[in-house]
Amino acid sequence: MRLLFFVLSLAVSSVAFSSQPIVGTIERDFTGVYLHSGDLCPRYVIDSKSEDASTNIRKLTTGDTITATGLLDVQTCKAVIESVEYVGLKKMLGYWYSQDGIITVRDFNSLSFYPINLKDFQNGADYRTADPITYRYSVTPTEGKEWVVFLSDTTSTTFATIQFGKSNATMKIYDSETGDVKKILRMSKWGNLR
């Protein structure tokens, strides 16, 4: 009977401590990196369990969102992150312009591309008169300074990489079949969300 109780308690413990999906918002200050998940703890101290997770978390800033795999320990208010699956980048939100058009990013899930000539826009044309192409998007971490972006419209899904500067970004859009770069968008930040 004791053996059965021991085996059952081990099984329950392993289930209680197994990896789970973690979703929350990042807070970074001089004391460390924290996760707000609307859970029992006001914020969790983030502890990375792998070098990849640690590298990906270092790239995040306050206000970014994260979907990860790991454990939330409500006793110690610690979030042990095993891997980072998706992120929402606060710096991506806002209005961007490029030679090919205007891009508006209002949230971490969708963006709209308005194909308007930049010179027409600079001469006062309203970008909203162009029919936008709306994309669902998700961002995943990768090595280096780039992020991988998956873009889906009503007909297809493609992928891109994006790298941010202070007030600009470079997005490389790839051919899903060949992996060749189809287009490079050099984007400048026009403004933040209102």
Side-chain angles (χ1 to χ4, degrees), residues 116-129:
I116 184 172
N117 181 290
L118 184 58
K119 288 193 190 273
D120 291 342
F121 175 69
Q122 290 171 331
N123 289 329
D126 188 350
Y127 72 94
R128 291 170 290 206
T129 60

Side-chain angles (χ1 to χ4, degrees), residues 132-144:
I133 303 167
T134 301
Y135 293 95
R136 302 287 298 158
Y137 79 93
S138 60
V139 180
T140 62
T142 186
E143 293 179 10

Side-chain angles (χ1 to χ4, degrees), residues 81-176:
I81 305 294
E82 293 175 4
S83 64
V84 178
E85 314 303 329
Y86 299 101
V87 296
L89 301 174
K90 186 176 177 187
K91 63 184 150 200
M92 193 164 170
L93 302 176
Y95 303 96
W96 299 83
Y97 65 88
S98 74
Q99 286 298 115
D100 297 321
I102 305 296
I103 299 167
T104 61
V105 186
R106 296 188 181 276
D107 57 38
F108 297 130
N109 301 310
S110 64
L111 62 86
S112 296
F113 175 73
Y114 295 84
I116 184 172
N117 181 290
L118 184 58
K119 288 193 190 273
D120 291 342
F121 175 69
Q122 290 171 331
N123 289 329
D126 188 350
Y127 72 94
R128 291 170 290 206
T129 60
D131 286 333
I133 303 167
T134 301
Y135 293 95
R136 302 287 298 158
Y137 79 93
S138 60
V139 180
T140 62
T142 186
E143 293 179 10
K145 296 181 179 182
E146 292 182 323
W147 300 89
V148 174
V149 182
F150 293 96
L151 299 161
S152 300
D153 63 10
T154 56
T155 61
S156 64
T157 298
T158 190
F159 73 97
T161 57
I162 190 166
Q163 184 173 344
F164 295 93
K166 267 196 170 182
S167 61
N168 58 24
T170 301
M171 181 181 281
K172 296 176 186 172
I173 302 170
Y174 294 86
D175 184 304
S176 297

Side-chain angles (χ1 to χ4, degrees), residues 1-14:
M1 186 66 152
R2 286 184 186 176
L3 181 60
L4 178 62
F5 179 72
F6 178 72
V7 170
L8 286 174
S9 66
L10 278 178
V12 169
S13 296
S14 67

Side-chain angles (χ1 to χ4, degrees), residues 20-45:
Q20 61 189 17
I22 297 174
V23 177
T25 304
I26 297 295
E27 176 192 345
R28 180 182 292 278
D29 65 21
F30 67 93
T31 62
V33 183
Y34 303 93
L35 176 79
H36 293 270
S37 73
D39 212 314
L40 297 173
C41 293
R43 68 182 190 175
Y44 291 87
V45 176

